[in-house]
Amino acid sequence: MGRGFRTSAVLAAIATSALLAPIGSFAAEPPVPALPAVTPIPVKVIVVANFEPGEDKGDAPGEFQFWAEREKLDEVIPIKGALHPLRRNADGLYGMCWGSPDTMLGGVAEQLMSLLLDPRFDFSKTYWLFTGISGVDPELASVGSAAWSRWVVQGDTLREFDDREVAKDWPYGLFAIGADAPNKLPANTESFAGFTDTGKLAMSVKLNQSLAQWAYDRTKDVVIPDSPALQRARAAWKGYPNAQKPPFVLMGETLGSVRYWHGPGRTQWARDWVKLWTGGKGRFAMTNMESQSLAGAMAIAAKQGLVDPARVLVLRTGSNPSMPPPGRSAVESVADEGAGQIAAFEANYRVGVPVVHELLSHWDVYKDQVPGADPK
């Protein structure tokens, strides 16, 4: 018997014994340790904003700074996975703003999930106020206005053709997955993501509309500061009476899309898209780049019992119109936020804070009874 044959036989025996050995005998990793038990803090109310150009306090303001400074959110609580800390005050108001990873990749939903999964906090009865600035539809409201949303509509996951390449009777090249033309709901899943139910292709989240109405009723008369700069800008909106009004509070839906679109054509698409996905009951008011991502993270958390989706509020404020005024092109006006940005920061705080204070002041009631709902 040759040496080569003996070597082959030995290797074969080793391979055979490996195949027959119990799988557990190969476990080289240590056992997964149990997480230490903690008693989580019940969080009453949290305000969530989307960006700050610098620090949360003491420099140029972003969406969160007025909240952090005026509500004395002085206690700083680092959150692993989030680039800004969680903050809170002595009254039990929490607040957070997401940080930029210094790239356009990644964003708000990842950081929200880090907060939701932090075992130190119990969010099961928390009221969430998602705030932020947006492009506002000039048919509906003026720059500086604030809209309480009844739906969050997603504007990212869709079919898209170049508008110059679509059928002549199409208004644009954007349409729903599972549909065969714009402004139609899906008729077939087309095996998208393995779905067999067209309902899973839905592009909107219906918020607690009774709670939204309650918030609107409490804040509809809030005075939002006006300015000469806003007045000068409004004068250009001839033929758009709502765009010429001083800033005001309204109810209207938020459309989230990571594409920063602008112009009359896309504004009409947004109106149509919101109408389509709310069964004709919603109206497009605000466009922004975060609402859809945050709504998705909250939907995951709700499925796992981490949050109560009936306690979510969305308040968006107009920093700029979603299209140019008459006589100007979309290219000229796409980045023209001007005085509107500071006005929108102010409106977020002025309109949101009465709701926050009410929830905290009467927590003994609102802990178990969501406002706007029929008493149990």
Side-chain angles (χ1 to χ4, degrees), residues 90-104:
D91 297 323
L93 174 62
Y94 289 69
M96 196 163 187
C97 178
W98 317 124
S100 169
D102 298 322
T103 172
M104 296 303 284

Side-chain angles (χ1 to χ4, degrees), residues 38-44 46 75-80 85-88 94 96 114-126 128 305-307:
V38 298
T39 301
I41 301 168
V43 176
K44 300 173 186 176
I46 182 167
E75 185 179 357
V76 173
I77 307 166
I79 300 293
K80 186 178 291 187
L86 180 67
R87 290 177 170 270
R88 68 177 177 180
Y94 289 69
M96 196 163 187
S114 297
L115 173 64
L116 290 166
L117 294 177
D118 193 307
R120 297 173 294 174
F121 305 103
D122 177 1
F123 296 113
S124 61
K125 291 192 174 182
T126 303
W128 297 80
L306 297 172
V307 301

Side-chain angles (χ1 to χ4, degrees), residues 44-45 71 89 91-94 355-364 366:
K44 300 173 186 176
V45 183
E71 293 303 299
N89 65 16
D91 297 323
L93 174 62
Y94 289 69
V355 169
V356 165
H357 286 175
E358 171 66 16
L359 291 169
L360 289 171
S361 298
H362 298 94
W363 181 247
D364 57 332
Y366 299 132

Side-chain angles (χ1 to χ4, degrees), residues 30-36:
V32 177
L35 292 173

Side-chain angles (χ1 to χ4, degrees), residues 9 11 23 46-47 101 104 137 146 155 170 201 208 212 214 225 234 252 263 265 270 275 277 304 318 324 350:
L11 291 175
I23 293 175
I46 182 167
V47 175
M104 296 303 284
D137 183 355
W170 285 22
L201 294 170
N208 182 342
W214 173 84
R234 290 199 301 269
K275 183 179 179 181
W277 289 107
Q304 297 189 335
R350 298 270 185 133

Side-chain angles (χ1 to χ4, degrees), residues 171-187:
Y172 32 69
L174 305 173
F175 61 107
I177 293 171
D180 58 8
N183 297 316
K184 290 184 179 181
L185 291 172

